[in-house]
Amino acid sequence: MEMRGVLLLAVLHCCSVALCGCEPRLVNVGAVLSQKRYEQVFKEAVSQANALYGKDKFKMNAISVTHKPNAIQMALSVCEDLISNQVYAILVSHPPQPNDHLTPTPVSYTAGFYRIPVVGLTTRMSIYSDKSIHLSFLRTVPPYSHQAQVWFDLMREFRWNHIILIVSDDHEGRAAQKKLETLLEERETKTKNRNYENLDQQNFDFRRTPKAEKVLLFTQDTNLTALLLEAKDLEARVIILSASEDEAAAVYKAARQLNMTGSGYVWLVGEREMSGKALSEAPDGLLGLQLINGKNESAHIMDAVAVVAQSLQELFEKENITEPPRGCVGNTNIWRTGPLFKRVLMSSKYPDGLTGRIEFNDDGDRRFATYSILNHQKAGRVVQVGVFNGTQVVMNPQRKIIWPGGETEKPVGYQMSTRLKIVTIHQEPFVYVKPTKSDGMCKEEYTVNGVLIKKVICTGPNGTIPGQPIVPQCCYGFCIDLLIKLAMSMNFTYEVHLVADGKFGTQERVNNSNKKEWNGMMGELLGGLADMIVAPLTINNERAQYIEFSKPFKYQGLTILVKKEIPRSTLDSFMQPFQSTLWLLVGLSVHVVAVMLYLLDRFSPFGRFKVNSEEEEEDALTLSSAMWFSWGVLLNSGIGEGAPRSFSARILGMVWAGFAMIIVASYTANLAAFLVLDRPEERITGINDPRLRNPSDKFIYATVKQSSVDIYFRRQVELSTMYRHMEKHNYESAAEAIQAVRDNKLHAFIWDSAVLEFEASQKCDLVTTGELFFRSGFGIGMRKDSPWKQNVSLAILSSHENGFMEDLDKTWVRYQECDSRSNAPATLTFENMAGVFMLVAGGIVAGIFLIFIEIAYKRHKDARRKQMQLAFAAVNVWRKNLQDRKSGRAEPEPQTSFRSITSTSDLKRRMAPGDATPYPTDITGQLNLSDPSVSTVV
C-alpha cells in the first residue's frame, strides 16, 4: 500500500508539472481610461487579442482605472493599481472637454521612470514627442504639429507659394512652425539642383517650393491688430494659423475688423482652430482639418491593444525577458526589458486597424494619419471637400470649395503690392552714393551733356560716421535711372535701401554647421527684407537656383585692372636715344677728327702755316681751333674762325659735316620717340598669364570677397591654385581693391569689365588688360514666386529695343576722360628735359670755375713776367757798367737803385741809345738766361 501511494503521488506530481509547463504566461496590461464605459471596451479588446496572438505563450489580462481628479492621485493609482500588478504596458487616454485638463503626464512620468511603455490613445499635444521628458511614451494619434504636413501638401496642391505663418508663441505653436519649416527646407534641398531652364513655365511653377514670406509669433499680450496689419502689408494672402481655441477666435475677430477675411485671402487652420468657440468666429471660406477617428477612444483602444499583443508575441520570441517591477514603494530599479519592449512597439506595423494603418516614427508618434479637409461655409456649415490619406491630398471634385468672400474660383494666394522694397549696393557707375544736404534733399547735378541727374533717397549705413548708422543718402547712376524707368512703365512705387553688410551675396555656413545661408543682397531678398535687387548683380547658376533673374540689362565679362606703367624721366633722359657705347664712339670721333684736321692742315703745303709766314700766329689752325671746329660742326653752332685751309683738311671737314648731320637727325628722331610717346606697358597678358597661373607673393592679385567672381574661381577646378592665392588677399569691396591698385598694394584686380573699364577711363593711372573671360550679364533679382518677374523682363527687352539702355550706357559707362586725353598730341614736360637744363647749369658752373682758374693763371703769369723783367733790367745795368769800365769811361754810379725800376717803361727809358739790340729772350718774351752772353754778364 505504501509503495502504491508513493507511485500515485509521483504520477500526480509529474502531471502537475506537465500541466504547469503547458499553461501560457499571464501578462497584465494596464489602462487609464477617460470613462468607466471604456473599461468594458478594453476588456473586449484584450479578449480578441488573446484569441489572435500569444496562444500558448502568453495570455493578456486587462487591468484598468479611470482618470483621477489631480496628478498626485493619478500617479498613486498608477503605482497601486497598475505597477503593483506588474503590467507590461499602460494605455492612457486624454479626456475631452471639459476634463481635457486631465492629461497623461502623471502616467507617463510614473511609468517612464520604470521604463514601462505607455501608449497614448487620444493625446495630441506635441510635448509628448519630446523623448527627453516622456521616455517611454508613444501614441496611436499624431500630434497637432503634424498638421503642417497637410498644410504643406495643400499649398502644393493649390500652387500657393506666398505664405504667412501666424503661430502662438508656446510649445504647440513653435512645434508647428518647426515642422513646417523643416518640410520647406527638405523640399528646397531636393529641388535646388533641378535644371529649371529645361522646364516650361507651368511645370516650373508647379515644382517650385512654397516659402513662408513671414512668420508672426504672438502671445496673450500681443496687439493682434498691429500684428495683422503687418501681415496685410505683405504680398502673401495665404494665412496659416496655429493657435488654441480662444486665441484663434480672437485672431478671427481682429482679422474681420481689418477686412482680411474677404476675397483674395485664404485661411488654412488645424483642428483646434476649427472647433468650439473658434468655429463660431471662423470666417467663411476657411479650410480646416480634422483627424479621422481622432476622438474615437474605443477604436483607439482596440488598435492599441492589438499593437501591444503583436509586440508581446515578438518580444517573447527573444531571450532573457525579465518580469516588470512590482509596485513603486521602495523600488527604484528600472525594468531592464522595458526599453527593448518599447523598441519592439515602435517598430511594429498594424495595417488593418480600425483607425487605419498604424506605424510609429522615431518620436513614437503615429504615421500615415488620415484627415478630413473641411470647408467652413455660410451659416456655420462645415463641408468635407477632401481627405489626406496619409501620403497625399485627395480633393473631392463633387464638392465645390467656397472661398472667402463667397468666391468659387481658387484665389491666386498673393496680391501684387505696388510699393516695392528695393535693395542696391554702392558700385560706381551703376550706383553712386552721396550724402544729402542739410535739409535732407539731394544736390542738383548735371551730366556732361547738361541733363539733370535723377536722384532718389536711399537709406543705408554711412561708412564715414563711426558706428555706420543708417541714414538717408542720395543714390543715382545707371541702375537708379533704370529703376525709375521700370517704375514708370510698370506702375509701381518703391523705397530704396543699401544692403546692410555691403555684399552682393554668397552662401556661408552657419556656426560651422552644414547649413548654409545667403548673405548680402541675396540674403535680404530671400529673407523678405527686399522685393527686388536693382544693382550690378551678376547672373550665375548658384544664384539662379534660389532667385529669379530678369533678362540681362547689360552684358559684360571679367577683366583685369592694373596700374599703368608710366616711364619715369631721369636726368639723363636726353641721352636715352643712344646707347652708352655709341655716345663714347661719337665723343672719340670728335677728338680724332680734330687731331686729323690739325695734322692735315699743318703738314699740307697749302696750310696756313706755309702760305704766308708773316701772318700772325694766332690766325693759324692750332689744335684748339681744330677741336672747336670739330665740335662746332657736330653741334651746328657755326664756325667763326679757325677753319681748315688745305684741300685735304677741308675734304675731311665735309665728310665730318655729313656724319654730324646723320647723327643729329637720328638723335632728334629717337629723342622724340623716347620723350614724347607715352605708351603704357601691360603688365600681364590676361587670365592665362604665367604670373596669374603660377602665383607668388611677389605678384598679388585679388577680387571681392563672397562675390560672383569669387564663386566663379571657387568652382573652377583648373583655377583652384589661383583661388587659393586670391582667397588670402580678397577685399571687402571693389572700391577698396581699386584704391589698393592705385597705391601699389595690389598688382592686379579681377572684376566685372563694365566697372573696371569705367574706372580706367576716369582714373588715368589705371588700365585694363587682357581679353574678357567668363562672359555673363547683370540682371535684376527677384524671388522665384515674384509676380513681377515676367513684366520686368519684358520691360528690359523693350528698353533694349527702343535704345534706352544704349542711352544709359553712353551717359554713365562710356563717358571716358582719359581716352580723350590720350588722343591729343603729347607735350614735353620739365621732367623730360630736366637733364638738358642740368647740362646747361653744369656748363655755367664749369665756366665760372674755369674763369677763376684763368684769372689765377693770368696773375701767376704776370707775376713771373715782372720778375723776369726786373732780372733783365739788373743784367742790363750790370752790363753797361762793365762796358764803361772796359772803355775807361767810368761815370758816377746812378742813384737809381735796383728796387726803383718798377716797370718796363722805366727800363726802356734807362737803356742807352746804342743798346737797341735787346738781350736774348725766349718765345714768351722772357730773358733767356741760357744765352752765353747773358750768363757771362751774370
Side-chain angles (χ1 to χ4, degrees), residues 151 166-168 172-173 176 218 240-244 247 272-273:
W151 295 334
I166 303 177
V167 296
S168 58
E172 204 63 46
F218 70 94
I240 298 177
L241 176 64
S242 175
S244 65
E247 291 170 336
R272 294 183 305 161
E273 301 82 5

Side-chain angles (χ1 to χ4, degrees), residues 555-782:
Y555 294 92
Q556 54 95 45
L558 299 184
T559 190
I560 305 169
L561 183 76
V562 297
K563 191 169 184 180
K564 187 181 295 184
E565 290 294 329
I566 301 176
R568 296 293 179 184
S569 297
T570 59
L571 294 179
D572 61 346
S573 295
F574 67 94
M575 300 186 70
Q576 289 179 355
F578 291 166
Q579 291 184 351
S580 57
T581 305
L582 184 56
W583 280 118
L584 290 174
L585 291 175
V586 170
L588 181 61
S589 300
V590 171
H591 295 85
V592 170
V593 169
V595 172
M596 291 304 299
L597 287 172
Y598 170 73
L599 294 176
L600 290 173
D601 215 38
R602 183 174 184 85
F603 292 105
S604 173
F606 302 100
R608 291 212 173 182
F609 279 94
K610 302 296 182 180
V611 172
N612 188 358
S613 60
E614 295 181 358
E615 291 183 0
E616 295 183 359
E617 188 139 338
E618 59 265 25
D619 292 335
L621 183 63
T622 62
L623 182 60
S624 61
S625 298
M627 196 70 68
W628 180 257
F629 175 84
S630 180
W631 278 106
V633 170
L634 179 64
L635 300 178
N636 197 20
S637 61
I639 307 301
E641 58 182 14
R645 182 70 176 264
S646 67
F647 182 72
S648 59
R650 289 182 176 183
I651 290 296
L652 178 58
M654 292 173 60
V655 173
W656 174 245
F659 172 85
M661 180 187 68
I662 296 172
I663 289 295
V664 170
S666 301
Y667 173 80
T668 304
N670 283 334
L671 182 65
F674 273 91
L675 300 184
V676 177
L677 297 181
D678 183 12
R679 293 172 295 181
E681 299 178 0
E682 295 179 352
R683 300 193 62 178
I684 52 179
T685 58
I687 190 63
N688 293 317
D689 191 278
R691 280 168 290 184
L692 297 181
R693 291 292 184 168
N694 304 299
S696 67
D697 293 336
K698 295 181 180 179
F699 190 86
I700 300 174
Y701 54 94
T703 186
V704 176
K705 293 179 181 178
Q706 299 178 349
S707 62
S708 61
V709 184
D710 187 41
I711 295 173
Y712 169 73
F713 278 92
R714 185 193 312 161
R715 73 169 185 233
Q716 298 295 325
V717 178
E718 65 274 14
L719 302 178
S720 59
T721 304
M722 296 179 61
Y723 174 73
R724 287 193 296 270
H725 172 82
M726 296 166 63
E727 192 176 17
K728 298 181 293 185
H729 303 100
N730 285 342
Y731 284 79
E732 293 292 338
S733 67
E736 293 180 12
I738 292 171
Q739 188 59 44
V741 173
R742 302 187 72 187
D743 296 339
N744 291 320
K745 297 178 181 178
L746 186 65
H747 296 103
F749 176 49
I750 303 174
W751 194 239
D752 297 323
S753 60
V755 177
L756 295 188
E757 288 171 359
F758 171 79
E759 292 291 340
S761 70
Q762 302 298 303
K763 301 176 177 65
C764 300
D765 58 340
L766 301 176
V767 64
T768 57
T769 178
E771 295 183 355
L772 296 185
F773 60 98
F774 181 45
R775 296 179 182 271
S776 59
F778 293 147
I780 293 177
M782 296 158 283

Side-chain angles (χ1 to χ4, degrees), residues 233-498:
D233 291 337
L234 301 173
E235 289 185 357
R237 287 296 179 263
V238 178
I239 301 175
I240 298 177
L241 176 64
S242 175
S244 65
E245 242 181 66
D246 295 338
E247 291 170 336
V251 171
Y252 295 150
K253 191 178 295 184
R256 188 176 293 108
Q257 294 174 353
L258 296 174
N259 297 322
M260 294 179 64
T261 58
S263 298
Y265 283 90
V266 176
W267 287 82
L268 291 181
V269 299
E271 191 166 335
R272 294 183 305 161
E273 301 82 5
M274 200 177 178
S275 59
K277 184 179 179 180
L279 183 61
S280 62
E281 296 288 347
D284 295 340
L286 174 144
L287 286 183
L289 306 176
Q290 188 176 62
L291 181 65
I292 297 176
N293 291 319
K295 298 180 180 179
N296 190 344
E297 188 170 338
S298 298
H300 282 284
I301 291 173
M302 300 293 290
D303 289 346
V305 170
V307 170
V308 170
Q310 180 178 302
S311 300
L312 284 171
Q313 183 174 353
E314 183 179 349
L315 178 68
F316 285 131
E317 292 178 357
K318 302 180 183 297
E319 298 180 355
N320 300 323
I321 304 302
T322 60
E323 293 290 331
R326 184 186 297 273
C328 303
V329 180
N331 185 8
T332 58
N333 297 323
I334 66 173
W335 181 25
R336 286 183 296 174
T337 306
L340 174 62
F341 188 28
K342 181 196 170 187
R343 289 196 297 271
V344 173
L345 281 168
M346 291 179 63
S347 63
S348 62
K349 298 179 180 179
Y350 188 59
D352 301 322
L354 296 178
T355 59
R357 175 182 174 185
I358 298 177
E359 290 185 23
F360 302 97
N361 61 17
D362 294 338
D363 294 326
D365 297 326
R366 171 79 172 267
R367 298 177 62 195
F368 306 112
T370 56
Y371 292 87
S372 294
I373 301 173
L374 306 177
N375 182 213
H376 183 263
Q377 300 180 0
K378 290 184 178 180
R381 182 165 167 257
V382 178
V383 178
Q384 180 177 343
V385 293
V387 295
F388 177 77
N389 60 13
T391 57
Q392 63 181 356
V393 170
V394 180
M395 302 304 296
N396 187 349
Q398 304 299 325
R399 296 182 179 178
K400 289 280 187 181
I401 300 176
I402 304 300
W403 300 100
E407 301 287 340
T408 57
E409 293 293 329
K410 175 184 75 70
V412 295
Y414 63 87
Q415 179 180 359
M416 290 181 64
S417 174
T418 58
R419 182 72 176 176
L420 301 184
K421 294 175 289 185
I422 308 297
V423 62
T424 188
I425 190 171
H426 182 195
Q427 180 71 81
E428 300 177 3
F430 294 93
V431 179
Y432 290 86
V433 180
K434 302 293 182 183
T436 59
K437 296 190 296 185
S438 57
D439 59 358
M441 303 300 291
C442 295
K443 179 182 178 182
E444 289 189 0
E445 294 184 72
Y446 295 86
T447 65
V448 292
N449 299 324
V451 180
L452 179 66
I453 296 177
K454 300 175 182 177
K455 299 183 179 182
V456 300
I457 298 296
C458 56
T459 58
N462 189 339
T464 61
I465 302 177
Q468 297 188 355
I470 305 298
V471 296
Q473 301 178 75
C474 293
C475 290
Y476 62 95
F478 186 106
C479 289
I480 301 302
D481 284 358
L482 176 59
L483 172 62
I484 295 172
K485 175 70 173 179
L486 292 176
M488 292 177 60
S489 62
M490 297 170 58
N491 194 26
F492 66 82
T493 58
Y494 52 84
E495 55 184 24
V496 183
H497 71 273
L498 296 170

